[in-house]
Amino acid sequence: MSDASNPATTPDPVSNAPVADWHNDPTLSEKWKYRFNFFEKNGVPGMGSPSPQLRAAFKELSFAERVKVNMNFFALFFSFIYFGFFLKMWRQAAIAFGLIVAASIILSIFNLSNGAARGASMGLGVLFGLRANALYYLKRTQGDIGWKFF
């Protein structure tokens, strides 16, 4: 069964999991293809320690290319809305929303200052912006990634 939202996805005859041909997908912009190509050659960045190959490839990029590969500004500013409505990653949107709610509850319980609230908000935004590209790559190449966020 192929994914109706992705015309370039076909099922793998052995595992019946979707196999994406993102190279020929007309729905992906050149910016996404550039990111996906980098991830395919060098590995996907995670929250842990990056591999030596990924570190070396990342150092070879210019500043603008590093930002293009590593940061997603729509996810930075629109968090769970971007994950859910635009990237169609509903589980990751639920995780992002849950993190925002949990941070708000913790900040209100401990009655922390507005500066702490702004800092937590900015920190979560950066986290979402840094994870969006890698998570979308995993979704488009591996199909359903479940509740993975980190």
Side-chain angles (χ1 to χ4, degrees), residues 15 22 29 32 35 48 62 64 68 74 76 137:
S15 66
W22 60 266
S29 70
W32 280 112
R35 292 169 176 157
S62 69
K68 184 192 291 188
F74 290 116
L76 173 73
Y137 170 77

Side-chain angles (χ1 to χ4, degrees), residues 27-133:
T27 62
L28 276 180
S29 70
E30 290 303 314
K31 190 176 198 177
W32 280 112
K33 288 180 182 180
Y34 179 82
R35 292 169 176 157
F36 284 14
N37 192 31
F38 181 83
F39 294 151
E40 186 174 69
K41 287 180 183 174
N42 304 299
V44 181
M47 293 304 286
S49 179
S51 69
Q53 178 187 359
L54 179 62
R55 248 187 253 159
F58 197 68
K59 285 182 182 179
E60 292 176 8
L61 298 176
S62 69
F63 178 75
E65 291 171 328
R66 287 181 193 180
V67 171
K68 184 192 291 188
V69 167
N70 213 26
M71 178 59 72
N72 189 309
F73 289 100
F74 290 116
L76 173 73
F77 293 113
F78 301 110
S79 66
F80 67 91
I81 295 168
Y82 183 68
F83 279 116
F85 292 107
F86 292 98
L87 298 181
K88 304 293 187 225
M89 298 190 307
W90 299 105
R91 291 179 184 135
Q92 286 70 27
I95 292 169
F97 184 74
L99 287 172
I100 292 169
V101 169
S104 299
I105 290 170
I106 290 169
L107 289 168
S108 66
I109 287 174
F110 292 109
N111 199 19
L112 297 175
S113 68
N114 285 340
R118 280 190 214 111
S121 175
M122 285 189 247
L124 284 174
V126 169
L127 172 71
F128 301 147
L130 290 173
R131 292 302 300 148
N133 295 340

Side-chain angles (χ1 to χ4, degrees), residues 10-29:
T10 57
D12 181 16
V14 176
S15 66
N16 203 22
V19 177
D21 180 20
W22 60 266
H23 299 283
N24 301 319
D25 190 352
T27 62
L28 276 180
S29 70

